[in-house]
Amino acid sequence: SQQGEEDPQALSIQEGENATMNCSYKTSINNLQWYRQNSGRGLVHLILIRSNEREKHSGRLRVTLDTSKKSSSLLITASRAADTASYFCATDANNDMRFGAGTRLTVKP
Amino acid sequence: NAGVMQNPRHLVRRRGQEARLRCSPMKGHSHVYWYRQLPEEGLKFMVYLQKENIIDESGMPKERFSAEFPKEGPSILRIQQVVRGDSAAYFCASSPPRLGASEQYFGPGTRLTVT
């Protein structure tokens, strides 16, 4: 079953722009993870942020976590056409992992 | 409409034994993905199957691991001669015949402990 809810469901931007996706959840968590999925492929793990962390960077990715609001955001800077994919958040709470429905990102060249 | 089901939820095996993990996809779904998650790490893709067909097994270890999705019945992930390093949570996900990234549904996982 799903817990995280991504927002927006779909996002279309021009190459070079930044893309921000949000994830909200309901219960307390140990960590939150972001994944990417290209059409027809499995999920690829992007980044994990623990509940005691507020921000994490990896290359062009920046993830924030606000446990008081039970929300996280994924920012992709200087987007490229190759970033076109769906992005999922997943919450890990006491070894119970739940996924959101995903944000479909389209980056136009 | 039942979600993706995995059983058992917890499995304990001694080193050298075999582990069989089952995944029943959602009704109408003919695609199954298997993932492995080590403690405090993200999911790692293992294999993608359609009915009676392995589409992508690029994430599967070359030895001891195999997966199948028969015409009838659940998908099975089989680990032979388990070792301690196989201890992990194994998740499967299913999606309908028309692939859409937002239509992948995950099961609750099977936690394998190798003693």
Side-chain angles (χ1 to χ4, degrees), chain B residues 20-41:
Chain B
R20 279 185 179 238
L21 289 64
R22 292 175 190 77
C23 171
S24 297
M26 284 182 72
K27 191 175 178 181
H29 288 193
S30 56
H31 297 209
V32 165
Y33 302 78
W34 283 95
Y35 298 87
R36 174 163 65 174
Q37 184 193 30
L38 294 171
E40 286 296 300
E41 291 187 15

mmCIF file with all atom_site columns, all heavy atoms in Angstrom, chain B residues 20-41:
data_model
loop_
_atom_site.group_PDB
_atom_site.id
_atom_site.type_symbol
_atom_site.label_atom_id
_atom_site.label_alt_id
_atom_site.label_comp_id
_atom_site.label_asym_id
_atom_site.label_entity_id
_atom_site.label_seq_id
_atom_site.pdbx_PDB_ins_code
_atom_site.Cartn_x
_atom_site.Cartn_y
_atom_site.Cartn_z
_atom_site.occupancy
_atom_site.B_iso_or_equiv
_atom_site.pdbx_formal_charge
_atom_site.auth_seq_id
_atom_site.auth_comp_id
_atom_site.auth_asym_id
_atom_site.auth_atom_id
_atom_site.pdbx_PDB_model_num
ATOM 1   N N   . ARG B 1 20 ? 12.948  -19.557 -0.621  1.00 0.00 ? 20 ARG B N   1
ATOM 2   C CA  . ARG B 1 20 ? 11.990  -19.305 -1.708  1.00 0.00 ? 20 ARG B CA  1
ATOM 3   C C   . ARG B 1 20 ? 11.043  -18.197 -1.279  1.00 0.00 ? 20 ARG B C   1
ATOM 4   O O   . ARG B 1 20 ? 10.357  -18.327 -0.277  1.00 0.00 ? 20 ARG B O   1
ATOM 5   C CB  . ARG B 1 20 ? 11.174  -20.560 -2.004  1.00 0.00 ? 20 ARG B CB  1
ATOM 6   C CG  . ARG B 1 20 ? 11.899  -21.537 -2.869  1.00 0.00 ? 20 ARG B CG  1
ATOM 7   C CD  . ARG B 1 20 ? 11.012  -22.697 -3.224  1.00 0.00 ? 20 ARG B CD  1
ATOM 8   N NE  . ARG B 1 20 ? 11.736  -23.606 -4.073  1.00 0.00 ? 20 ARG B NE  1
ATOM 9   C CZ  . ARG B 1 20 ? 11.357  -23.963 -5.293  1.00 0.00 ? 20 ARG B CZ  1
ATOM 10  N NH1 . ARG B 1 20 ? 10.206  -23.508 -5.778  1.00 0.00 ? 20 ARG B NH1 1
ATOM 11  N NH2 . ARG B 1 20 ? 12.071  -24.779 -6.000  1.00 0.00 ? 20 ARG B NH2 1
ATOM 12  N N   . LEU B 1 21 ? 11.032  -17.139 -2.069  1.00 0.00 ? 21 LEU B N   1
ATOM 13  C CA  . LEU B 1 21 ? 10.196  -15.993 -1.757  1.00 0.00 ? 21 LEU B CA  1
ATOM 14  C C   . LEU B 1 21 ? 9.134   -15.885 -2.853  1.00 0.00 ? 21 LEU B C   1
ATOM 15  O O   . LEU B 1 21 ? 9.460   -15.986 -4.042  1.00 0.00 ? 21 LEU B O   1
ATOM 16  C CB  . LEU B 1 21 ? 11.032  -14.713 -1.719  1.00 0.00 ? 21 LEU B CB  1
ATOM 17  C CG  . LEU B 1 21 ? 11.998  -14.518 -0.552  1.00 0.00 ? 21 LEU B CG  1
ATOM 18  C CD1 . LEU B 1 21 ? 13.117  -15.547 -0.517  1.00 0.00 ? 21 LEU B CD1 1
ATOM 19  C CD2 . LEU B 1 21 ? 12.604  -13.123 -0.624  1.00 0.00 ? 21 LEU B CD2 1
ATOM 20  N N   . ARG B 1 22 ? 7.903   -15.644 -2.425  1.00 0.00 ? 22 ARG B N   1
ATOM 21  C CA  . ARG B 1 22 ? 6.802   -15.619 -3.384  1.00 0.00 ? 22 ARG B CA  1
ATOM 22  C C   . ARG B 1 22 ? 6.194   -14.237 -3.498  1.00 0.00 ? 22 ARG B C   1
ATOM 23  O O   . ARG B 1 22 ? 6.107   -13.504 -2.507  1.00 0.00 ? 22 ARG B O   1
ATOM 24  C CB  . ARG B 1 22 ? 5.708   -16.601 -2.961  1.00 0.00 ? 22 ARG B CB  1
ATOM 25  C CG  . ARG B 1 22 ? 6.122   -18.050 -3.061  1.00 0.00 ? 22 ARG B CG  1
ATOM 26  C CD  . ARG B 1 22 ? 5.058   -18.968 -2.510  1.00 0.00 ? 22 ARG B CD  1
ATOM 27  N NE  . ARG B 1 22 ? 5.561   -20.316 -2.388  1.00 0.00 ? 22 ARG B NE  1
ATOM 28  C CZ  . ARG B 1 22 ? 6.375   -20.732 -1.430  1.00 0.00 ? 22 ARG B CZ  1
ATOM 29  N NH1 . ARG B 1 22 ? 6.766   -19.895 -0.496  1.00 0.00 ? 22 ARG B NH1 1
ATOM 30  N NH2 . ARG B 1 22 ? 6.804   -21.972 -1.394  1.00 0.00 ? 22 ARG B NH2 1
ATOM 31  N N   . CYS B 1 23 ? 5.757   -13.929 -4.677  1.00 0.00 ? 23 CYS B N   1
ATOM 32  C CA  . CYS B 1 23 ? 5.119   -12.639 -4.927  1.00 0.00 ? 23 CYS B CA  1
ATOM 33  C C   . CYS B 1 23 ? 3.905   -12.854 -5.814  1.00 0.00 ? 23 CYS B C   1
ATOM 34  O O   . CYS B 1 23 ? 4.045   -13.350 -6.943  1.00 0.00 ? 23 CYS B O   1
ATOM 35  C CB  . CYS B 1 23 ? 6.098   -11.688 -5.608  1.00 0.00 ? 23 CYS B CB  1
ATOM 36  S SG  . CYS B 1 23 ? 5.341   -10.159 -6.205  1.00 0.00 ? 23 CYS B SG  1
ATOM 37  N N   . SER B 1 24 ? 2.746   -12.486 -5.313  1.00 0.00 ? 24 SER B N   1
ATOM 38  C CA  . SER B 1 24 ? 1.531   -12.540 -6.122  1.00 0.00 ? 24 SER B CA  1
ATOM 39  C C   . SER B 1 24 ? 1.194   -11.128 -6.541  1.00 0.00 ? 24 SER B C   1
ATOM 40  O O   . SER B 1 24 ? 0.899   -10.279 -5.689  1.00 0.00 ? 24 SER B O   1
ATOM 41  C CB  . SER B 1 24 ? 0.382   -13.153 -5.322  1.00 0.00 ? 24 SER B CB  1
ATOM 42  O OG  . SER B 1 24 ? 0.663   -14.486 -4.983  1.00 0.00 ? 24 SER B OG  1
ATOM 43  N N   . PRO B 1 25 ? 1.239   -10.834 -7.837  1.00 0.00 ? 25 PRO B N   1
ATOM 44  C CA  . PRO B 1 25 ? 0.975   -9.468  -8.288  1.00 0.00 ? 25 PRO B CA  1
ATOM 45  C C   . PRO B 1 25 ? -0.494  -9.125  -8.131  1.00 0.00 ? 25 PRO B C   1
ATOM 46  O O   . PRO B 1 25 ? -1.336  -9.980  -7.864  1.00 0.00 ? 25 PRO B O   1
ATOM 47  C CB  . PRO B 1 25 ? 1.370   -9.507  -9.763  1.00 0.00 ? 25 PRO B CB  1
ATOM 48  C CG  . PRO B 1 25 ? 1.211   -10.939 -10.161 1.00 0.00 ? 25 PRO B CG  1
ATOM 49  C CD  . PRO B 1 25 ? 1.521   -11.755 -8.944  1.00 0.00 ? 25 PRO B CD  1
ATOM 50  N N   . MET B 1 26 ? -0.772  -7.853  -8.297  1.00 0.00 ? 26 MET B N   1
ATOM 51  C CA  . MET B 1 26 ? -2.162  -7.411  -8.274  1.00 0.00 ? 26 MET B CA  1
ATOM 52  C C   . MET B 1 26 ? -2.899  -8.042  -9.442  1.00 0.00 ? 26 MET B C   1
ATOM 53  O O   . MET B 1 26 ? -2.315  -8.351  -10.480 1.00 0.00 ? 26 MET B O   1
ATOM 54  C CB  . MET B 1 26 ? -2.230  -5.889  -8.363  1.00 0.00 ? 26 MET B CB  1
ATOM 55  C CG  . MET B 1 26 ? -1.872  -5.196  -7.074  1.00 0.00 ? 26 MET B CG  1
ATOM 56  S SD  . MET B 1 26 ? -2.010  -3.409  -7.201  1.00 0.00 ? 26 MET B SD  1
ATOM 57  C CE  . MET B 1 26 ? -3.784  -3.236  -7.250  1.00 0.00 ? 26 MET B CE  1
ATOM 58  N N   . LYS B 1 27 ? -4.186  -8.185  -9.278  1.00 0.00 ? 27 LYS B N   1
ATOM 59  C CA  . LYS B 1 27 ? -5.011  -8.773  -10.331 1.00 0.00 ? 27 LYS B CA  1
ATOM 60  C C   . LYS B 1 27 ? -4.873  -7.942  -11.602 1.00 0.00 ? 27 LYS B C   1
ATOM 61  O O   . LYS B 1 27 ? -4.949  -6.711  -11.567 1.00 0.00 ? 27 LYS B O   1
ATOM 62  C CB  . LYS B 1 27 ? -6.471  -8.781  -9.867  1.00 0.00 ? 27 LYS B CB  1
ATOM 63  C CG  . LYS B 1 27 ? -7.385  -9.597  -10.759 1.00 0.00 ? 27 LYS B CG  1
ATOM 64  C CD  . LYS B 1 27 ? -8.774  -9.653  -10.175 1.00 0.00 ? 27 LYS B CD  1
ATOM 65  C CE  . LYS B 1 27 ? -9.691  -10.437 -11.104 1.00 0.00 ? 27 LYS B CE  1
ATOM 66  N NZ  . LYS B 1 27 ? -11.077 -10.490 -10.582 1.00 0.00 ? 27 LYS B NZ  1
ATOM 67  N N   . GLY B 1 28 ? -4.642  -8.638  -12.694 1.00 0.00 ? 28 GLY B N   1
ATOM 68  C CA  . GLY B 1 28 ? -4.520  -7.942  -13.977 1.00 0.00 ? 28 GLY B CA  1
ATOM 69  C C   . GLY B 1 28 ? -3.107  -7.486  -14.292 1.00 0.00 ? 28 GLY B C   1
ATOM 70  O O   . GLY B 1 28 ? -2.836  -7.002  -15.388 1.00 0.00 ? 28 GLY B O   1
ATOM 71  N N   . HIS B 1 29 ? -2.192  -7.625  -13.331 1.00 0.00 ? 29 HIS B N   1
ATOM 72  C CA  . HIS B 1 29 ? -0.806  -7.219  -13.577 1.00 0.00 ? 29 HIS B CA  1
ATOM 73  C C   . HIS B 1 29 ? 0.002   -8.394  -14.086 1.00 0.00 ? 29 HIS B C   1
ATOM 74  O O   . HIS B 1 29 ? -0.055  -9.485  -13.512 1.00 0.00 ? 29 HIS B O   1
ATOM 75  C CB  . HIS B 1 29 ? -0.165  -6.689  -12.285 1.00 0.00 ? 29 HIS B CB  1
ATOM 76  C CG  . HIS B 1 29 ? -0.683  -5.356  -11.873 1.00 0.00 ? 29 HIS B CG  1
ATOM 77  N ND1 . HIS B 1 29 ? -0.063  -4.605  -10.907 1.00 0.00 ? 29 HIS B ND1 1
ATOM 78  C CD2 . HIS B 1 29 ? -1.733  -4.621  -12.313 1.00 0.00 ? 29 HIS B CD2 1
ATOM 79  C CE1 . HIS B 1 29 ? -0.719  -3.459  -10.764 1.00 0.00 ? 29 HIS B CE1 1
ATOM 80  N NE2 . HIS B 1 29 ? -1.734  -3.456  -11.600 1.00 0.00 ? 29 HIS B NE2 1
ATOM 81  N N   . SER B 1 30 ? 0.776   -8.157  -15.136 1.00 0.00 ? 30 SER B N   1
ATOM 82  C CA  . SER B 1 30 ? 1.561   -9.246  -15.711 1.00 0.00 ? 30 SER B CA  1
ATOM 83  C C   . SER B 1 30 ? 3.059   -8.970  -15.675 1.00 0.00 ? 30 SER B C   1
ATOM 84  O O   . SER B 1 30 ? 3.838   -9.712  -16.260 1.00 0.00 ? 30 SER B O   1
ATOM 85  C CB  . SER B 1 30 ? 1.115   -9.496  -17.165 1.00 0.00 ? 30 SER B CB  1
ATOM 86  O OG  . SER B 1 30 ? 1.235   -8.299  -17.911 1.00 0.00 ? 30 SER B OG  1
ATOM 87  N N   . HIS B 1 31 ? 3.439   -7.871  -15.010 1.00 0.00 ? 31 HIS B N   1
ATOM 88  C CA  . HIS B 1 31 ? 4.857   -7.532  -14.905 1.00 0.00 ? 31 HIS B CA  1
ATOM 89  C C   . HIS B 1 31 ? 5.236   -7.526  -13.440 1.00 0.00 ? 31 HIS B C   1
ATOM 90  O O   . HIS B 1 31 ? 4.514   -6.976  -12.606 1.00 0.00 ? 31 HIS B O   1
ATOM 91  C CB  . HIS B 1 31 ? 5.125   -6.128  -15.483 1.00 0.00 ? 31 HIS B CB  1
ATOM 92  C CG  . HIS B 1 31 ? 4.825   -6.010  -16.936 1.00 0.00 ? 31 HIS B CG  1
ATOM 93  N ND1 . HIS B 1 31 ? 5.488   -5.132  -17.747 1.00 0.00 ? 31 HIS B ND1 1
ATOM 94  C CD2 . HIS B 1 31 ? 3.955   -6.664  -17.734 1.00 0.00 ? 31 HIS B CD2 1
ATOM 95  C CE1 . HIS B 1 31 ? 5.024   -5.228  -18.982 1.00 0.00 ? 31 HIS B CE1 1
ATOM 96  N NE2 . HIS B 1 31 ? 4.095   -6.153  -18.996 1.00 0.00 ? 31 HIS B NE2 1
ATOM 97  N N   . VAL B 1 32 ? 6.367   -8.123  -13.145 1.00 0.00 ? 32 VAL B N   1
ATOM 98  C CA  . VAL B 1 32 ? 6.846   -8.184  -11.767 1.00 0.00 ? 32 VAL B CA  1
ATOM 99  C C   . VAL B 1 32 ? 8.305   -7.755  -11.702 1.00 0.00 ? 32 VAL B C   1
ATOM 100 O O   . VAL B 1 32 ? 9.109   -8.112  -12.571 1.00 0.00 ? 32 VAL B O   1
ATOM 101 C CB  . VAL B 1 32 ? 6.690   -9.619  -11.197 1.00 0.00 ? 32 VAL B CB  1
ATOM 102 C CG1 . VAL B 1 32 ? 7.503   -9.791  -9.937  1.00 0.00 ? 32 VAL B CG1 1
ATOM 103 C CG2 . VAL B 1 32 ? 5.226   -9.927  -10.911 1.00 0.00 ? 32 VAL B CG2 1
ATOM 104 N N   . TYR B 1 33 ? 8.619   -6.981  -10.685 1.00 0.00 ? 33 TYR B N   1
ATOM 105 C CA  . TYR B 1 33 ? 9.996   -6.551  -10.426 1.00 0.00 ? 33 TYR B CA  1
ATOM 106 C C   . TYR B 1 33 ? 10.385  -7.057  -9.041  1.00 0.00 ? 33 TYR B C   1
ATOM 107 O O   . TYR B 1 33 ? 9.571   -7.012  -8.118  1.00 0.00 ? 33 TYR B O   1
ATOM 108 C CB  . TYR B 1 33 ? 10.099  -5.022  -10.394 1.00 0.00 ? 33 TYR B CB  1
ATOM 109 C CG  . TYR B 1 33 ? 9.654   -4.300  -11.635 1.00 0.00 ? 33 TYR B CG  1
ATOM 110 C CD1 . TYR B 1 33 ? 8.310   -4.103  -11.911 1.00 0.00 ? 33 TYR B CD1 1
ATOM 111 C CD2 . TYR B 1 33 ? 10.587  -3.774  -12.522 1.00 0.00 ? 33 TYR B CD2 1
ATOM 112 C CE1 . TYR B 1 33 ? 7.904   -3.422  -13.041 1.00 0.00 ? 33 TYR B CE1 1
ATOM 113 C CE2 . TYR B 1 33 ? 10.192  -3.078  -13.655 1.00 0.00 ? 33 TYR B CE2 1
ATOM 114 C CZ  . TYR B 1 33 ? 8.845   -2.918  -13.904 1.00 0.00 ? 33 TYR B CZ  1
ATOM 115 O OH  . TYR B 1 33 ? 8.442   -2.233  -15.017 1.00 0.00 ? 33 TYR B OH  1
ATOM 116 N N   . TRP B 1 34 ? 11.628  -7.475  -8.895  1.00 0.00 ? 34 TRP B N   1
ATOM 117 C CA  . TRP B 1 34 ? 12.161  -7.834  -7.569  1.00 0.00 ? 34 TRP B CA  1
ATOM 118 C C   . TRP B 1 34 ? 13.288  -6.873  -7.208  1.00 0.00 ? 34 TRP B C   1
ATOM 119 O O   . TRP B 1 34 ? 14.132  -6.521  -8.051  1.00 0.00 ? 34 TRP B O   1
ATOM 120 C CB  . TRP B 1 34 ? 12.716  -9.256  -7.567  1.00 0.00 ? 34 TRP B CB  1
ATOM 121 C CG  . TRP B 1 34 ? 11.666  -10.324 -7.497  1.00 0.00 ? 34 TRP B CG  1
ATOM 122 C CD1 . TRP B 1 34 ? 11.095  -10.998 -8.545  1.00 0.00 ? 34 TRP B CD1 1
ATOM 123 C CD2 . TRP B 1 34 ? 11.062  -10.867 -6.315  1.00 0.00 ? 34 TRP B CD2 1
ATOM 124 N NE1 . TRP B 1 34 ? 10.178  -11.907 -8.089  1.00 0.00 ? 34 TRP B NE1 1
ATOM 125 C CE2 . TRP B 1 34 ? 10.147  -11.863 -6.724  1.00 0.00 ? 34 TRP B CE2 1
ATOM 126 C CE3 . TRP B 1 34 ? 11.211  -10.628 -4.948  1.00 0.00 ? 34 TRP B CE3 1
ATOM 127 C CZ2 . TRP B 1 34 ? 9.382   -12.593 -5.822  1.00 0.00 ? 34 TRP B CZ2 1
ATOM 128 C CZ3 . TRP B 1 34 ? 10.455  -11.368 -4.050  1.00 0.00 ? 34 TRP B CZ3 1
ATOM 129 C CH2 . TRP B 1 34 ? 9.556   -12.337 -4.492  1.00 0.00 ? 34 TRP B CH2 1
ATOM 130 N N   . TYR B 1 35 ? 13.286  -6.476  -5.914  1.00 0.00 ? 35 TYR B N   1
ATOM 131 C CA  . TYR B 1 35 ? 14.304  -5.572  -5.387  1.00 0.00 ? 35 TYR B CA  1
ATOM 132 C C   . TYR B 1 35 ? 14.834  -6.147  -4.080  1.00 0.00 ? 35 TYR B C   1
ATOM 133 O O   . TYR B 1 35 ? 14.125  -6.841  -3.351  1.00 0.00 ? 35 TYR B O   1
ATOM 134 C CB  . TYR B 1 35 ? 13.704  -4.186  -5.090  1.00 0.00 ? 35 TYR B CB  1
ATOM 135 C CG  . TYR B 1 35 ? 13.141  -3.467  -6.281  1.00 0.00 ? 35 TYR B CG  1
ATOM 136 C CD1 . TYR B 1 35 ? 11.828  -3.674  -6.686  1.00 0.00 ? 35 TYR B CD1 1
ATOM 137 C CD2 . TYR B 1 35 ? 13.915  -2.561  -6.999  1.00 0.00 ? 35 TYR B CD2 1
ATOM 138 C CE1 . TYR B 1 35 ? 11.305  -3.015  -7.781  1.00 0.00 ? 35 TYR B CE1 1
ATOM 139 C CE2 . TYR B 1 35 ? 13.392  -1.891  -8.088  1.00 0.00 ? 35 TYR B CE2 1
ATOM 140 C CZ  . TYR B 1 35 ? 12.087  -2.126  -8.471  1.00 0.00 ? 35 TYR B CZ  1
ATOM 141 O OH  . TYR B 1 35 ? 11.571  -1.466  -9.553  1.00 0.00 ? 35 TYR B OH  1
ATOM 142 N N   . ARG B 1 36 ? 16.068  -5.775  -3.775  1.00 0.00 ? 36 ARG B N   1
ATOM 143 C CA  . ARG B 1 36 ? 16.651  -6.173  -2.490  1.00 0.00 ? 36 ARG B CA  1
ATOM 144 C C   . ARG B 1 36 ? 17.024  -4.905  -1.735  1.00 0.00 ? 36 ARG B C   1
ATOM 145 O O   . ARG B 1 36 ? 17.542  -3.956  -2.326  1.00 0.00 ? 36 ARG B O   1
ATOM 146 C CB  . ARG B 1 36 ? 17.893  -7.030  -2.719  1.00 0.00 ? 36 ARG B CB  1
ATOM 147 C CG  . ARG B 1 36 ? 18.639  -7.373  -1.437  1.00 0.00 ? 36 ARG B CG  1
ATOM 148 C CD  . ARG B 1 36 ? 19.583  -8.519  -1.615  1.00 0.00 ? 36 ARG B CD  1
ATOM 149 N NE  . ARG B 1 36 ? 20.672  -8.238  -2.512  1.00 0.00 ? 36 ARG B NE  1
ATOM 150 C CZ  . ARG B 1 36 ? 21.683  -9.085  -2.719  1.00 0.00 ? 36 ARG B CZ  1
ATOM 151 N NH1 . ARG B 1 36 ? 21.700  -10.259 -2.097  1.00 0.00 ? 36 ARG B NH1 1
ATOM 152 N NH2 . ARG B 1 36 ? 22.642  -8.785  -3.552  1.00 0.00 ? 36 ARG B NH2 1
ATOM 153 N N   . GLN B 1 37 ? 16.782  -4.923  -0.447  1.00 0.00 ? 37 GLN B N   1
ATOM 154 C CA  . GLN B 1 37 ? 17.150  -3.785  0.383   1.00 0.00 ? 37 GLN B CA  1
ATOM 155 C C   . GLN B 1 37 ? 17.966  -4.264  1.569   1.00 0.00 ? 37 GLN B C   1
ATOM 156 O O   . GLN B 1 37 ? 17.478  -5.024  2.414   1.00 0.00 ? 37 GLN B O   1
ATOM 157 C CB  . GLN B 1 37 ? 15.910  -3.043  0.885   1.00 0.00 ? 37 GLN B CB  1
ATOM 158 C CG  . GLN B 1 37 ? 16.251  -1.789  1.664   1.00 0.00 ? 37 GLN B CG  1
ATOM 159 C CD  . GLN B 1 37 ? 15.061  -1.235  2.425   1.00 0.00 ? 37 GLN B CD  1
ATOM 160 O OE1 . GLN B 1 37 ? 14.181  -1.967  2.835   1.00 0.00 ? 37 GLN B OE1 1
ATOM 161 N NE2 . GLN B 1 37 ? 15.044  0.068   2.599   1.00 0.00 ? 37 GLN B NE2 1
ATOM 162 N N   . LEU B 1 38 ? 19.209  -3.770  1.639   1.00 0.00 ? 38 LEU B N   1
ATOM 163 C CA  . LEU B 1 38 ? 20.036  -4.044  2.802   1.00 0.00 ? 38 LEU B CA  1
ATOM 164 C C   . LEU B 1 38 ? 19.695  -3.014  3.872   1.00 0.00 ? 38 LEU B C   1
ATOM 165 O O   . LEU B 1 38 ? 19.196  -1.934  3.557   1.00 0.00 ? 38 LEU B O   1
ATOM 166 C CB  . LEU B 1 38 ? 21.510  -3.972  2.426   1.00 0.00 ? 38 LEU B CB  1
ATOM 167 C CG  . LEU B 1 38 ? 21.957  -5.066  1.436   1.00 0.00 ? 38 LEU B CG  1
ATOM 168 C CD1 . LEU B 1 38 ? 23.370  -4.792  0.950   1.00 0.00 ? 38 LEU B CD1 1
ATOM 169 C CD2 . LEU B 1 38 ? 21.864  -6.432  2.061   1.00 0.00 ? 38 LEU B CD2 1
ATOM 170 N N   . PRO B 1 39 ? 19.959  -3.308  5.143   1.00 0.00 ? 39 PRO B N   1
ATOM 171 C CA  . PRO B 1 39 ? 19.592  -2.375  6.218   1.00 0.00 ? 39 PRO B CA  1
ATOM 172 C C   . PRO B 1 39 ? 20.139  -0.977  5.977   1.00 0.00 ? 39 PRO B C   1
ATOM 173 O O   . PRO B 1 39 ? 21.307  -0.811  5.622   1.00 0.00 ? 39 PRO B O   1
ATOM 174 C CB  . PRO B 1 39 ? 20.225  -3.015  7.457   1.00 0.00 ? 39 PRO B CB  1
ATOM 175 C CG  . PRO B 1 39 ? 20.292  -4.466  7.139   1.00 0.00 ? 39 PRO B CG  1
ATOM 176 C CD  . PRO B 1 39 ? 20.553  -4.559  5.662   1.00 0.00 ? 39 PRO B CD  1
ATOM 177 N N   . GLU B 1 40 ? 19.297  0.004   6.147   1.00 0.00 ? 40 GLU B N   1
ATOM 178 C CA  . GLU B 1 40 ? 19.658  1.419   6.018   1.00 0.00 ? 40 GLU B CA  1
ATOM 179 C C   . GLU B 1 40 ? 20.147  1.782   4.610   1.00 0.00 ? 40 GLU B C   1
ATOM 180 O O   . GLU B 1 40 ? 20.844  2.774   4.434   1.00 0.00 ? 40 GLU B O   1
ATOM 181 C CB  . GLU B 1 40 ? 20.740  1.817   7.034   1.00 0.00 ? 40 GLU B CB  1
ATOM 182 C CG  . GLU B 1 40 ? 20.215  1.940   8.461   1.00 0.00 ? 40 GLU B CG  1
ATOM 183 C CD  . GLU B 1 40 ? 19.180  3.047   8.625   1.00 0.00 ? 40 GLU B CD  1
ATOM 184 O OE1 . GLU B 1 40 ? 19.503  4.214   8.358   1.00 0.00 ? 40 GLU B OE1 1
ATOM 185 O OE2 . GLU B 1 40 ? 18.028  2.726   8.982   1.00 0.00 ? 40 GLU B OE2 1
ATOM 186 N N   . GLU B 1 41 ? 19.781  0.986   3.640   1.00 0.00 ? 41 GLU B N   1
ATOM 187 C CA  . GLU B 1 41 ? 20.132  1.333   2.257   1.00 0.00 ? 41 GLU B CA  1
ATOM 188 C C   . GLU B 1 41 ? 18.867  1.388   1.414   1.00 0.00 ? 41 GLU B C   1
ATOM 189 O O   . GLU B 1 41 ? 17.793  0.974   1.840   1.00 0.00 ? 41 GLU B O   1
ATOM 190 C CB  . GLU B 1 41 ? 21.090  0.290   1.672   1.00 0.00 ? 41 GLU B CB  1
ATOM 191 C CG  . GLU B 1 41 ? 22.464  0.321   2.319   1.00 0.00 ? 41 GLU B CG  1
ATOM 192 C CD  . GLU B 1 41 ? 23.428  -0.603  1.583   1.00 0.00 ? 41 GLU B CD  1
ATOM 193 O OE1 . GLU B 1 41 ? 23.123  -1.021  0.452   1.00 0.00 ? 41 GLU B OE1 1
ATOM 194 O OE2 . GLU B 1 41 ? 24.477  -0.899  2.162   1.00 0.00 ? 41 GLU B OE2 1
#
